[in-house]
Structure formats: C-alpha cells, structure tokens
Amino acid sequence: MSVSDDLRIYRTGFHPCGYWPDRFARDLLIDPRDPRSAEAYPLALEWGFRRSGEVIYRPDCVACRACVAVRVPVGEFHPDRSQRRCLTRNADLQVRVVPAQRTDEHFALYRRYLHHRHPGGGMDDHSEADFDGFLIGRWSQGRFLEFRMPGDHAPGRLLAVAVTDVLEDALSAVYTFYDPDEVSRGLGTFGVLQQIEWARREGRSHLYLGYWIDGHPKMDYKRRFQPLERYDGRAWQR
C-alpha cells in the first residue's frame, strides 16, 4: 500500500485570509497526526500543497482561486537582465548551507525582518517557539541557506536566511528573511536564484516556490522566474 492510499485530508473552517484583508479563506490539511508526514510531503508538493512548520496544507477557498502553486524547472531557467544584476550586486556575499537549527543570530534577524515587513500583523511578536514551529518542525528535511558579509577568520555579518526543504528530486523554498537595512540588495530575489542554482548543482529537477498570487504586492514577484509551472488542480502546466 502506498502512502497516498489512506491519507486523511481535512478541510478547515473559514478564517481571515492572510493575503487579502477583505476575504475569508479555508484550507485542506493532511492529517497532522499522521506519522508518515515526512514520507507524504514530497507527494503533497506534487499536489500543490505547502508546508508551514509541521502542517501540510493547500488553500481551498470557495469563491477565490488566487493562490496558485508554482515551481521552476531549474534545468531550463536562465536569469533575465534584472536577475543578473542582482547576482552581480551580491557577488561579495558568502553563501553557505547549514543545519536548520535556530541560533540567537538567526532569531534576532528574523524579529527585525518581521517588525519591518509585517508590523502589527500578528507575526511581529513571534517567540523562539514560534520560529521553530513555523520554520523548522520535527520531521522536515530543512536547511538554512545563509548569506553573509565576508569575514576574514570567522563568518561575517548575517544578512539573510532562505529556509529550504531538501527532497530527493526537488528543493522547496519555505521562507526567506533578511536585514531590512539591506533592501537595495534584492536579497529575496538573490535567495531564489541561489536556491535554483543549488537545485541544479545537485541534479534536482524543480524548485517549489509556494503560491503565486497575481497582482499581490508581496507574492506577484514569482512570475519573474521563467519558465514557471503552475498546478491547475490536476497537473502542472507552463
């Protein structure tokens, strides 16, 4: 019996939408008590699901289909002119993959980012337990992709962290946080470009980018990574 044969999937009640303040949302959840979550996760990504902490979910709203699961086929990706400038602008940074384990340095940067990016939105008071619950989880195969200023004999100042799940044939971009004083570097874009290169270097086929929302000021950027595939509810399409 395959893991997909008897997975329990639940539908939540309605809750305020995290993207559009005038809308309500609901989600499909793979049973969070199922001990096979780690095994089910790669398959769930193929079905357009996403991970938040230990919860595997997919939007299932009644009158809105704005959230579209997208992924980049990394073997076909070529950065455009703007993305090449971003790579050049950040060529001085040190990039390294480290275990997904919270440090005081990670948490301090995360809090600074939330205070700047989501003021008063409920995330800007996250605790250390919230950090672990949102970004790490017990069963995920996550890594932290760090971006630092150069250091002579020790790691330089931490500028950004791209939380990344590592699967057999893909990477999944979970969340990126960065120094709000370094916004001119385009560290969010740089993080995705580095994740694409990481996936390509290790022979993985795709980088999952979560949900693209057409016209949303914080989510529409994903259309710039071409070619891009979207999940239409049955299959992945260009």
Side-chain angles (χ1 to χ4, degrees):
M1 179 180 292
S2 70
V3 69
S4 62
D5 287 341
D6 61 345
L7 279 178
R8 292 184 175 90
I9 298 179
Y10 298 100
R11 178 177 287 122
T12 70
F14 291 100
H15 57 84
C17 176
Y19 301 111
W20 303 109
D22 60 339
R23 303 181 192 181
F24 285 89
R26 69 180 185 183
D27 302 295
L28 297 178
L29 305 180
I30 292 180
D31 187 353
R33 299 165 298 182
D34 195 314
R36 301 166 299 168
S37 292
E39 185 181 355
Y41 181 45
L43 181 62
L45 282 173
E46 286 277 351
W47 294 342
F49 282 74
R50 182 101 172 121
R51 177 181 76 83
S52 178
E54 297 171 15
V55 176
I56 303 172
Y57 74 96
R58 188 176 83 186
D60 183 49
C61 303
V62 175
C64 178
R65 292 293 182 267
C67 294
V68 179
V70 291
R71 67 185 187 183
V72 178
V74 299
E76 303 173 55
F77 174 80
H78 298 283
D80 62 21
R81 180 180 301 177
S82 174
Q83 291 162 348
R84 291 195 298 270
R85 288 198 298 265
C86 181
L87 289 168
T88 300
R89 193 162 53 244
N90 292 287
D92 59 324
L93 298 186
Q94 295 177 339
V95 180
R96 65 175 190 170
V97 178
V98 300
Q101 298 173 351
R102 170 181 43 81
T103 66
D104 291 343
E105 187 181 27
H106 293 142
F107 184 63
L109 180 62
Y110 177 70
R111 287 292 298 264
R112 286 191 62 213
Y113 174 80
L114 292 183
H115 277 289
H116 179 267
R117 187 78 167 176
H118 302 286
M123 292 184 68
D124 53 348
D125 61 349
H126 269 200
S127 66
E128 293 178 348
D130 292 325
F131 178 102
D132 294 347
F134 174 42
L135 298 177
I136 302 176
R138 291 172 297 181
W139 54 260
S140 70
Q141 299 297 316
R143 300 290 186 274
F144 287 174
L145 186 61
E146 292 185 343
F147 308 111
R148 294 179 175 272
M149 294 297 293
D152 293 332
H153 304 293
R157 180 168 66 91
L158 181 67
L159 296 191
V161 176
V163 183
T164 311
D165 282 343
V166 180
L167 300 104
E168 182 175 356
D169 194 42
L171 298 180
S172 180
V174 176
Y175 195 76
T176 297
F177 55 95
Y178 53 82
D179 186 339
D181 293 337
E182 300 286 346
V183 65
S184 63
R185 283 183 172 270
L187 290 166
T189 295
F190 185 64
V192 175
L193 293 171
Q194 291 298 313
Q195 289 169 319
I196 290 173
E197 179 55 31
W198 176 8
R200 178 162 33 206
R201 185 171 62 245
E202 297 193 351
R204 292 178 167 86
S205 62
H206 293 91
L207 172 67
Y208 287 87
L209 289 180
Y211 299 114
W212 162 65
I213 303 177
D214 188 16
H216 192 281
K218 295 181 180 179
M219 304 297 285
D220 195 35
Y221 74 93
K222 299 175 184 183
R223 69 161 68 235
R224 302 200 306 265
F225 298 91
Q226 295 289 336
L228 194 65
E229 298 175 352
R230 63 181 178 86
Y231 187 69
D232 66 4
R234 294 185 178 182
W236 290 90
Q237 308 283 350
R238 288 294 174 96

